[in-house]
Structures are given as C-alpha cells and as structure tokens.
Amino acid sequence: MLRIHFTGEDLGRTRLATGPEPMWELLLSLHKLTDAEGRMVFDCWRRRVRPVGGAGLPASTRWLAHLAPPVGYSPDFLTPARQAGDLGTGLDLVLATPRRRIRHDLTTLAAQQPLRGPVADLADGSRRALHRLGQALRDYHTHALAPFWNRIRTCVQADLTVRGKTFLHAGIEAVLTDLHPAARWEPPVLKLPYSRDHDIHLDGRGVRLLPSFFCWGRPFTFHDPGLPPVIAFPVEHDLDWLTPPARRDPRRPLAALLGRTRTTVLTALAAHGGCTTTELAHRTGISLASASQHTGVLRDAGLITTVRRGAHVVHTLQPAGTSLINAPTKRDRPE
C-alpha cells in the first residue's frame, strides 16, 4: 500500500503534468518489455520492439534491463523529478545527476542484485559509463518509443483532458480518488495499491500527478520519499493500440470528411483540446447521435482518437487532424 499524507497546503499544490514524460515512459516501458504484464495491451508492441528471430534491441541498449529490472527497485535518478517534456531535456537532467546520487541509487540496487558490466562502471563514477548510459537511453527511445510516440502522447493527453475537467467540476479530491479503481481518500491520506508498504509525507511540497502509458496495474513513484513527489499512474488505453493500424484507402476517409458539419466538429475539438460527445454536441449545435456518428467517421479517418474514461468518452485530435486544421488554404498560399 502506498500512503500519501497531505496537508491543506499540499492539496493546493497538487498539479497535473502537461503531457507524457519521456524518461518515465522509457523506464516503465523497459519494465513492460521484460515482464509479462498487460499482454493484451503490450504484446503487439513487444513483438515489434523485440521480434522473434528479428534484429531486436540495439546492442547498445541491452544492459539497461540490468539497470532497470522489472521487479523490485529501479534507480530513482532515471526518472527526473523536474518536468522535462521532451527527450533532450530529460536526458540532460539524467546525465546531470550528481555522482553521489548515482552512487546512492546504485548502492540500493546492489542490495537487490549484483552490479555487472556497465552498471558496475556507472556505480564507480566512470565518465565513460555515464556517456554510455546517455547513448543507450537515446538508442532505446529511438527504437522502442519514438515510432509510437504520437499514440502515447494522444492517450496521455486524453487522460489529462478528462482529469482537467474533473478538477474544474469536482475539485482535486475527486481527481485523487480517480487515480486508480482501488484508490481510497481518507483525509488527509490517499491510499493506493503499491508493490510494497510505502509512506510519503508531502509536508507542503505538493505532488505532481503523471499519467503514464506504460505504467500498468498500480502507480509508480520514487523509492526515496525525500525526492520531490511525483506519482505516475496508469491510463486507460486506446483500443487501436491492441492491433496494428488497418490498411485503408486514404481517399475513402478523406471523401467522408467533406462537409460543413464535420469541419465544425474537428474545429471544436481543436479549440477545446478535446471534448466528450455530449460537450461536442452542445458546442456544435448538433444532436448527440449526430455527434457520435461524425466522431466515428473522423476516428476512422485517423484524425481523432477516442478514449473511454469511466462514464465519459473523450475525443481528441490526432496529429493528422491538427495538420489538417492548420493546413493553409488556397487563399493563404502565395500566387
């Protein structure tokens, strides 16, 4: 059980992340790559990243499984507490970790398993080992995450859209109790399922809530309760993740998009950062059934994605939809 102890000040300082964090997704995806959890969700991804009989992971990355084992402790310094937002900033934060912090974390890891090869070199403070770590993390991201990043970002942004609306309409306590089906808010303590008994006393620091695509089953946080508090928690996955995208004739969905109503629907989603079907019907002045039908066409065209969050269905733009909205018209183009 994870117990997070709040004060009144902490409730005011609790905040949502602004999007997926590459280093957190990287670490948690390493866990999912080497364990067997979430097979219906992640097996397709596993087969692409590490195909049987195929090239598999780049050689430079294979030792990362020893640094970040799927069970037990993974070094805290691999997931910076500061919000990064992009891979380059996240890597800079990891590689700027003070050597004493790296040594501390790897000493904790050594109590769980022997340190071998590059992990042992990293614990010894080798500059070459730190450079090797940076290259391994970058290579892993390029191979295992970058090809899927648009889907990861879309899923996380949909979750954030719903939680932002929950916060506006019901307050932060409603957000906290919705972090996991087994979450219990017993003021001033939030209780969440966890891999071990762990207490975090916020003491006025607040906490950053980070929806994560590769977090699975239960939340994840730092081993060291003295670090700035961050709670990564699982999102509900878009079912499109389960199977490779269907091969479609690109002309058919584009033809279906012609018309004023669907343009209005797409523009409303762009303006509001995502809507439920009911909100969309209200904002565009169409019926609920019509809103559902039009979002189905837009989703089939690959322009939006739809994620169910509890009783709500939330529609958000895919990058292709954003590009279509922002595409210059003939009038905008130079003669």
Side-chain angles (χ1 to χ4, degrees):
M1 179 71 69
L2 174 63
R3 292 174 292 270
I4 307 173
H5 301 258
F6 286 77
T7 65
E9 191 175 10
D10 290 310
L11 289 173
R13 291 183 174 176
T14 296
R15 59 207 182 279
L16 289 167
T18 58
E21 284 288 340
M23 301 313 300
W24 287 79
E25 297 295 353
L26 194 155
L27 174 69
L28 294 169
S29 72
L30 277 168
H31 292 173
K32 293 282 87 54
L33 190 62
T34 50
D35 66 24
E37 292 183 338
R39 296 191 63 177
M40 290 185 64
V41 173
F42 297 117
D43 270 2
C44 177
W45 170 78
R46 290 178 180 121
R47 287 192 295 270
R48 291 195 190 185
V49 171
R50 196 172 54 187
V52 176
L57 290 172
S60 62
T61 71
R62 292 171 192 163
W63 64 280
L64 292 176
H66 300 292
L67 179 63
V71 177
Y73 174 75
S74 290
D76 286 335
F77 77 87
L78 293 173
T79 47
R82 276 182 51 194
Q83 183 166 301
D86 62 84
L87 178 65
T89 303
L91 286 174
D92 287 345
L93 290 172
V94 170
L95 299 181
T97 305
R99 290 189 181 183
R100 64 180 180 278
R101 179 81 228 184
I102 295 176
R103 192 177 303 111
H104 171 274
D105 286 2
L106 294 183
T107 298
T108 303
L109 182 63
Q112 173 180 294
Q113 65 183 42
L115 305 186
R116 302 190 300 269
V119 182
D121 294 339
L122 198 59
D124 290 338
S126 163
R127 293 180 64 88
R128 181 181 177 185
L130 194 61
H131 174 77
R132 186 175 183 180
L133 172 65
Q135 189 61 54
L137 294 173
R138 187 179 296 278
D139 290 348
Y140 176 82
H141 185 277
T142 298
H143 179 79
L145 295 184
F148 312 98
W149 194 253
N150 282 340
R151 297 189 208 176
I152 293 167
R153 179 174 53 213
T154 297
C155 189
V156 170
Q157 290 291 0
D159 186 278
L160 287 169
T161 297
V162 173
R163 294 186 194 280
K165 294 178 185 298
T166 299
F167 174 73
L168 287 174
H169 295 295
I172 191 61
E173 293 184 7
V175 175
L176 294 175
T177 55
D178 193 40
L179 292 181
H180 190 276
R184 300 204 309 272
W185 173 239
E186 299 175 1
V189 180
L190 176 65
K191 296 182 178 180
L192 295 164
Y194 202 57
S195 56
R196 61 189 178 91
D197 280 334
H198 187 48
D199 286 88
I200 300 175
H201 294 266
L202 298 179
D203 295 328
R205 296 175 295 170
V207 60
R208 184 159 62 99
L209 305 176
L210 176 63
S212 168
F213 189 89
F214 285 99
C215 190
W216 184 257
R218 56 183 176 267
F220 184 86
T221 190
F222 294 120
H223 182 273
D224 183 352
L227 289 170
V230 179
I231 305 297
F233 58 90
V235 299
E236 292 188 18
H237 294 81
D238 188 338
L239 293 182
D240 287 346
W241 176 260
L242 301 178
T243 55
R247 294 184 178 180
R248 304 184 182 101
D249 178 353
R251 294 168 295 183
R252 292 179 60 191
L254 287 176
L257 285 173
L258 296 176
R260 185 175 5 178
T261 303
R262 286 184 191 128
T263 300
T264 302
V265 168
L266 203 62
T267 303
L269 291 176
H272 296 281
C275 301
T276 66
T277 307
T278 301
E279 290 171 334
L280 195 57
H282 176 73
R283 285 168 177 159
T284 57
I286 60 179
S287 70
L288 194 61
S290 181
S292 180
Q293 188 267 332
H294 287 303
T295 53
V297 173
L298 293 169
R299 182 170 58 252
D300 288 343
L303 299 179
I304 71 170
T305 190
T306 300
V307 177
R308 178 170 292 279
R309 283 288 307 161
H312 300 286
V313 173
V314 179
H315 312 285
T316 55
L317 286 183
Q318 288 272 34
T322 303
S323 297
L324 187 61
I325 286 289
N326 295 329
T329 64
K330 184 176 181 180
R331 181 179 298 177
D332 296 328
R333 298 188 189 105
E335 296 296 335

